Amino acid sequence: MTSDNSPAVSPGLEWARKRGLGRLAEKMEMELLEFSVERCVATIPVKGNTQPVGLLHGGAYVVLGESLGSMAANLWAGPGRLAVGVDINATHTHSAIDGIVTGVCTPLHLGRSMAVHEIVVTDEAGNRCSTVRITNMIRDLPANWKPGPHA
């Protein structure tokens, strides 16, 4: 706790919030709750992210998973390196129809050139709605590399 009784923000969460999750995640109202190399947690509301029949869109699960997995891989990669997604898959096993869903991202493999993460997405009742797995390739940045206008 800090002196004003608000919870302390971890260095990883501070890094992720400063970097940002990107415009798509912002439009989906994604909220980061926890962020470290070992575990990342974020939520999105079902409302506003549905398909025409009112279920959370399958792509929303994937965006949540890719956002968490790619950011986690970049935290792992460290300064002067960049992680980019090269493979992602999702298996949807339950449909969220209201409230929020929570994605919990954990590493399956953390190497020098590759990181693999699993993201389990659950609804407020604790039902597993989707399991996302993402593989990120990690590379050294060129010495003259500059981030784009949205970095």
Side-chain angles (χ1 to χ4, degrees), residues 47-103:
K47 185 177 181 179
N49 293 311
T50 58
Q51 54 175 269
V53 298
L55 305 174
L56 183 63
H57 196 290
Y61 293 114
V62 177
V63 170
L64 178 58
E66 182 154 8
S67 297
L68 284 172
S70 291
M71 287 288 288
N74 275 284
L75 180 62
W76 166 252
R81 308 198 77 217
L82 180 67
V84 293
V86 294
D87 182 66
I88 191 165
N89 67 66
T91 302
H92 310 311
T93 52
H94 188 79
S95 298
I97 56 172
D98 60 14
I100 63 167
V101 295
T102 302

Coordinates of all heavy atoms in Angstrom, one line a residue, residues 47-103:
K47 N -21.0 -6.2 -23.3 CA -21.7 -5.1 -24.0 C -20.8 -4.3 -24.8 O -19.8 -3.8 -24.4 CB -22.4 -4.2 -22.9 CG -23.3 -3.2 -23.6 CD -24.0 -2.4 -22.5 CE -25.0 -1.4 -23.2 NZ -25.7 -0.6 -22.2
G48 N -21.2 -4.1 -26.1 CA -20.4 -3.4 -27.1 C -19.4 -4.2 -27.8 O -18.8 -3.8 -28.8
N49 N -19.3 -5.5 -27.4 CA -18.3 -6.4 -28.1 C -19.0 -7.7 -28.6 O -18.4 -8.8 -28.6 CB -17.2 -6.7 -27.2 CG -16.3 -5.5 -26.9 OD1 -15.9 -4.8 -27.8 ND2 -16.1 -5.2 -25.6
T50 N -20.3 -7.6 -28.9 CA -21.1 -8.8 -29.2 C -21.2 -9.0 -30.7 O -21.1 -8.1 -31.5 CB -22.5 -8.7 -28.6 OG1 -23.1 -7.5 -29.1 CG2 -22.4 -8.7 -27.1
Q51 N -21.6 -10.2 -31.1 CA -22.0 -10.5 -32.5 C -23.5 -10.2 -32.6 O -24.1 -9.9 -31.5 CB -21.7 -12.0 -32.8 CG -22.2 -13.0 -31.8 CD -22.0 -14.4 -32.2 OE1 -22.8 -15.0 -32.8 NE2 -20.9 -15.0 -31.7
P52 N -24.1 -10.3 -33.7 CA -25.5 -10.0 -33.9 C -26.5 -10.7 -33.0 O -27.6 -10.1 -32.7 CB -25.8 -10.3 -35.4 CG -24.5 -10.1 -36.1 CD -23.5 -10.6 -35.0
V53 N -26.2 -11.9 -32.5 CA -27.2 -12.6 -31.7 C -27.0 -12.3 -30.2 O -27.7 -12.9 -29.4 CB -27.2 -14.1 -32.0 CG1 -27.6 -14.4 -33.4 CG2 -25.8 -14.7 -31.6
G54 N -26.1 -11.4 -29.8 CA -25.9 -11.0 -28.5 C -24.8 -11.7 -27.7 O -24.6 -11.4 -26.5
L55 N -24.1 -12.7 -28.3 CA -23.0 -13.3 -27.6 C -21.7 -12.5 -27.8 O -21.6 -11.8 -28.8 CB -22.8 -14.7 -28.2 CG -24.0 -15.7 -28.3 CD1 -23.6 -16.9 -29.0 CD2 -24.5 -16.0 -26.9
L56 N -20.8 -12.6 -26.8 CA -19.5 -12.0 -27.0 C -18.9 -12.5 -28.3 O -18.9 -13.7 -28.5 CB -18.6 -12.3 -25.8 CG -17.2 -11.6 -25.9 CD1 -17.4 -10.1 -25.8 CD2 -16.4 -12.0 -24.7
H57 N -18.4 -11.6 -29.1 CA -17.9 -12.0 -30.4 C -16.6 -12.9 -30.2 O -15.8 -12.6 -29.4 CB -17.5 -10.8 -31.2 CG -17.3 -11.0 -32.6 ND1 -16.2 -11.6 -33.1 CD2 -18.0 -10.6 -33.7 CE1 -16.2 -11.6 -34.4 NE2 -17.3 -11.0 -34.8
G58 N -16.5 -13.9 -31.0 CA -15.3 -14.8 -30.9 C -14.0 -14.0 -31.1 O -13.0 -14.3 -30.5
G59 N -14.1 -13.0 -32.0 CA -12.9 -12.2 -32.2 C -12.5 -11.4 -31.0 O -11.3 -11.0 -30.8
A60 N -13.5 -11.0 -30.2 CA -13.2 -10.3 -29.0 C -12.3 -11.1 -28.0 O -11.4 -10.6 -27.4 CB -14.5 -9.8 -28.3
Y61 N -12.6 -12.4 -27.9 CA -11.8 -13.3 -27.1 C -10.3 -13.3 -27.6 O -9.4 -13.2 -26.8 CB -12.3 -14.7 -27.1 CG -13.6 -14.9 -26.5 CD1 -14.7 -15.3 -27.2 CD2 -13.8 -14.8 -25.1 CE1 -15.9 -15.6 -26.6 CE2 -15.0 -15.1 -24.5 CZ -16.1 -15.4 -25.3 OH -17.3 -15.7 -24.7
V62 N -10.2 -13.3 -28.9 CA -8.9 -13.4 -29.6 C -8.2 -12.1 -29.4 O -6.9 -12.1 -29.1 CB -9.0 -13.8 -31.0 CG1 -7.6 -13.7 -31.7 CG2 -9.6 -15.1 -31.2
V63 N -8.9 -10.9 -29.5 CA -8.2 -9.6 -29.3 C -7.7 -9.5 -27.8 O -6.6 -9.1 -27.6 CB -9.2 -8.5 -29.6 CG1 -8.6 -7.1 -29.1 CG2 -9.4 -8.4 -31.1
L64 N -8.5 -10.0 -26.9 CA -8.1 -10.0 -25.5 C -6.9 -10.8 -25.3 O -5.9 -10.4 -24.7 CB -9.3 -10.4 -24.6 CG -9.0 -10.6 -23.1 CD1 -8.5 -9.2 -22.5 CD2 -10.2 -11.1 -22.4
G65 N -6.9 -12.0 -25.9 CA -5.8 -13.0 -25.8 C -4.5 -12.4 -26.4 O -3.4 -12.5 -25.8
E66 N -4.7 -11.9 -27.6 CA -3.5 -11.4 -28.3 C -2.9 -10.2 -27.6 O -1.7 -10.0 -27.6 CB -3.8 -11.1 -29.8 CG -2.5 -10.6 -30.5 CD -2.5 -10.9 -32.0 OE1 -3.6 -11.3 -32.6 OE2 -1.5 -10.6 -32.6
S67 N -3.8 -9.3 -27.1 CA -3.3 -8.1 -26.4 C -2.5 -8.5 -25.2 O -1.3 -8.0 -25.0 CB -4.5 -7.2 -26.0 OG -5.2 -6.8 -27.2
L68 N -3.0 -9.4 -24.4 CA -2.3 -9.9 -23.2 C -1.0 -10.6 -23.6 O 0.1 -10.4 -23.0 CB -3.2 -10.7 -22.3 CG -4.2 -10.0 -21.5 CD1 -5.1 -11.0 -20.9 CD2 -3.5 -9.1 -20.5
G69 N -1.1 -11.6 -24.5 CA 0.1 -12.4 -24.9 C 1.2 -11.6 -25.5 O 2.4 -11.8 -25.2
S70 N 0.8 -10.7 -26.4 CA 1.9 -10.0 -27.1 C 2.5 -9.0 -26.1 O 3.8 -8.8 -26.2 CB 1.3 -9.2 -28.3 OG 0.9 -10.1 -29.3
M71 N 1.7 -8.3 -25.3 CA 2.3 -7.4 -24.3 C 3.2 -8.2 -23.3 O 4.3 -7.7 -23.0 CB 1.2 -6.6 -23.6 CG 0.6 -5.6 -24.5 SD 1.6 -4.2 -24.8 CE 1.6 -3.4 -23.2
A72 N 2.8 -9.3 -22.9 CA 3.6 -10.1 -22.0 C 4.9 -10.5 -22.6 O 5.9 -10.5 -22.0 CB 2.8 -11.4 -21.5
A73 N 4.8 -10.9 -23.9 CA 6.1 -11.3 -24.6 C 7.0 -10.1 -24.7 O 8.2 -10.3 -24.6 CB 5.7 -11.9 -26.0
N74 N 6.5 -8.9 -24.9 CA 7.3 -7.8 -25.1 C 7.9 -7.4 -23.7 O 9.1 -6.9 -23.7 CB 6.6 -6.6 -25.7 CG 6.6 -6.6 -27.2 OD1 7.6 -6.3 -27.8 ND2 5.5 -7.1 -27.8
L75 N 7.2 -7.6 -22.6 CA 7.8 -7.3 -21.3 C 8.9 -8.3 -21.1 O 10.0 -7.9 -20.6 CB 6.7 -7.5 -20.2 CG 7.2 -7.3 -18.8 CD1 7.7 -5.8 -18.6 CD2 6.1 -7.6 -17.8
W76 N 8.7 -9.6 -21.4 CA 9.8 -10.6 -21.3 C 11.0 -10.3 -22.2 O 12.1 -10.4 -21.8 CB 9.2 -12.0 -21.7 CG 10.3 -13.0 -21.9 CD1 10.7 -13.6 -23.1 CD2 11.1 -13.6 -20.9 NE1 11.7 -14.5 -22.9 CE2 11.9 -14.5 -21.6 CE3 11.2 -13.5 -19.5 CZ2 12.9 -15.3 -20.9 CZ3 12.1 -14.3 -18.8 CH2 12.9 -15.1 -19.5
A77 N 10.7 -9.8 -23.4 CA 11.8 -9.5 -24.4 C 12.8 -8.5 -23.8 O 14.0 -8.6 -24.0 CB 11.2 -9.1 -25.7
G78 N 12.2 -7.4 -23.2 CA 13.1 -6.4 -22.6 C 13.4 -5.3 -23.6 O 13.1 -5.4 -24.8
P79 N 14.1 -4.3 -23.1 CA 14.5 -3.1 -23.9 C 15.4 -3.5 -25.1 O 16.2 -4.5 -25.0 CB 15.3 -2.3 -22.9 CG 14.9 -2.7 -21.6 CD 14.6 -4.2 -21.7
G80 N 15.2 -2.9 -26.2 CA 15.9 -3.1 -27.4 C 15.5 -4.4 -28.2 O 16.2 -4.8 -29.2
R81 N 14.4 -5.0 -27.7 CA 13.9 -6.2 -28.4 C 12.4 -6.0 -28.7 O 11.8 -5.2 -28.0 CB 14.1 -7.4 -27.6 CG 15.6 -7.5 -27.1 CD 16.1 -8.9 -26.7 NE 16.2 -9.7 -27.9 CZ 15.9 -11.0 -27.9 NH1 15.4 -11.6 -26.9 NH2 16.1 -11.7 -29.0
L82 N 11.9 -6.7 -29.6 CA 10.5 -6.6 -30.0 C 9.9 -8.0 -30.2 O 10.5 -8.9 -30.9 CB 10.3 -5.8 -31.3 CG 8.9 -5.6 -31.8 CD1 8.1 -4.7 -30.9 CD2 8.9 -5.0 -33.2
A83 N 8.7 -8.3 -29.6 CA 8.0 -9.5 -29.8 C 6.8 -9.3 -30.7 O 6.1 -8.3 -30.5 CB 7.6 -10.1 -28.5
V84 N 6.7 -10.1 -31.7 CA 5.5 -10.0 -32.6 C 4.9 -11.3 -32.8 O 5.5 -12.4 -32.9 CB 5.9 -9.4 -34.0 CG1 6.4 -8.0 -33.9 CG2 7.0 -10.3 -34.7
G85 N 3.5 -11.3 -32.8 CA 2.8 -12.6 -32.9 C 3.0 -13.2 -34.3 O 2.9 -12.6 -35.3
V86 N 3.2 -14.5 -34.3 CA 3.3 -15.3 -35.5 C 2.3 -16.4 -35.6 O 2.1 -17.0 -36.7 CB 4.8 -15.9 -35.7 CG1 5.8 -14.7 -35.8 CG2 5.2 -16.8 -34.5
D87 N 1.6 -16.7 -34.5 CA 0.6 -17.8 -34.5 C -0.3 -17.6 -33.4 O 0.1 -17.2 -32.2 CB 1.2 -19.2 -34.4 CG 0.2 -20.3 -34.5 OD1 -0.4 -20.4 -35.6 OD2 0.0 -21.0 -33.5
I88 N -1.6 -17.7 -33.6 CA -2.6 -17.6 -32.6 C -3.8 -18.6 -32.9 O -4.1 -18.8 -34.0 CB -3.1 -16.2 -32.4 CG1 -4.0 -16.0 -31.1 CG2 -3.9 -15.7 -33.6 CD1 -4.2 -14.6 -30.7
N89 N -4.3 -19.2 -31.8 CA -5.5 -20.0 -32.0 C -6.4 -19.9 -30.8 O -5.9 -19.5 -29.7 CB -5.2 -21.4 -32.3 CG -4.5 -22.2 -31.2 OD1 -5.1 -22.4 -30.2 ND2 -3.3 -22.5 -31.3
A90 N -7.7 -20.1 -31.0 CA -8.6 -20.0 -29.8 C -9.6 -21.1 -30.0 O -10.1 -21.4 -31.0 CB -9.3 -18.6 -29.9
T91 N -10.0 -21.7 -28.8 CA -11.1 -22.6 -28.7 C -12.1 -22.0 -27.8 O -11.8 -21.8 -26.6 CB -10.6 -24.0 -28.2 OG1 -9.5 -24.4 -29.0 CG2 -11.7 -25.0 -28.1
H92 N -13.3 -21.8 -28.3 CA -14.4 -21.2 -27.5 C -15.3 -22.3 -27.0 O -15.7 -23.2 -27.8 CB -15.2 -20.3 -28.4 CG -14.4 -19.3 -29.2 ND1 -13.5 -18.5 -28.6 CD2 -14.4 -18.9 -30.5 CE1 -12.9 -17.7 -29.5 NE2 -13.5 -17.9 -30.7
T93 N -15.5 -22.4 -25.7 CA -16.2 -23.5 -25.1 C -17.4 -23.1 -24.3 O -18.2 -23.9 -23.8 CB -15.2 -24.2 -24.1 OG1 -14.6 -23.3 -23.2 CG2 -14.2 -25.0 -24.9
H94 N -17.7 -21.8 -24.2 CA -18.8 -21.3 -23.5 C -19.1 -19.9 -24.0 O -18.2 -19.2 -24.4 CB -18.6 -21.2 -21.9 CG -19.8 -20.9 -21.1 ND1 -20.7 -21.8 -20.8 CD2 -20.2 -19.8 -20.5 CE1 -21.7 -21.3 -20.1 NE2 -21.3 -20.0 -19.9
S95 N -20.4 -19.5 -24.0 CA -20.7 -18.1 -24.5 C -21.0 -17.2 -23.4 O -21.9 -17.4 -22.6 CB -22.0 -18.3 -25.4 OG -21.7 -19.1 -26.5
A96 N -20.3 -16.0 -23.4 CA -20.7 -15.0 -22.5 C -21.7 -14.1 -23.1 O -21.7 -13.7 -24.3 CB -19.4 -14.1 -22.2
I97 N -22.8 -13.7 -22.3 CA -23.9 -12.9 -22.8 C -24.1 -11.6 -22.1 O -24.8 -10.7 -22.6 CB -25.2 -13.7 -22.8 CG1 -25.5 -14.2 -21.4 CG2 -25.1 -14.9 -23.8 CD1 -26.9 -14.8 -21.2
D98 N -23.4 -11.4 -21.0 CA -23.5 -10.2 -20.3 C -22.3 -10.0 -19.3 O -21.5 -11.0 -19.1 CB -24.8 -10.0 -19.5 CG -25.1 -11.0 -18.5 OD1 -24.2 -11.8 -18.1 OD2 -26.3 -11.2 -18.0
G99 N -22.2 -8.9 -18.6 CA -21.2 -8.7 -17.6 C -19.8 -8.4 -18.3 O -19.7 -7.8 -19.3
I100 N -18.8 -8.9 -17.6 CA -17.4 -8.8 -18.1 C -16.8 -10.2 -18.2 O -17.3 -11.1 -17.6 CB -16.5 -7.9 -17.2 CG1 -16.4 -8.5 -15.8 CG2 -17.0 -6.5 -17.1 CD1 -15.3 -7.9 -15.0
V101 N -15.8 -10.3 -19.1 CA -15.0 -11.5 -19.1 C -13.6 -11.1 -18.7 O -13.1 -10.0 -18.9 CB -15.0 -12.2 -20.5 CG1 -16.4 -12.7 -20.8 CG2 -14.4 -11.3 -21.6
T102 N -12.9 -12.1 -18.1 CA -11.5 -11.8 -17.6 C -10.6 -12.8 -18.3 O -10.8 -14.0 -18.3 CB -11.5 -12.1 -16.1 OG1 -12.4 -11.2 -15.4 CG2 -10.1 -11.8 -15.5
G103 N -9.5 -12.2 -18.8 CA -8.4 -13.0 -19.4 C -7.2 -13.1 -18.5 O -6.8 -12.1 -18.0

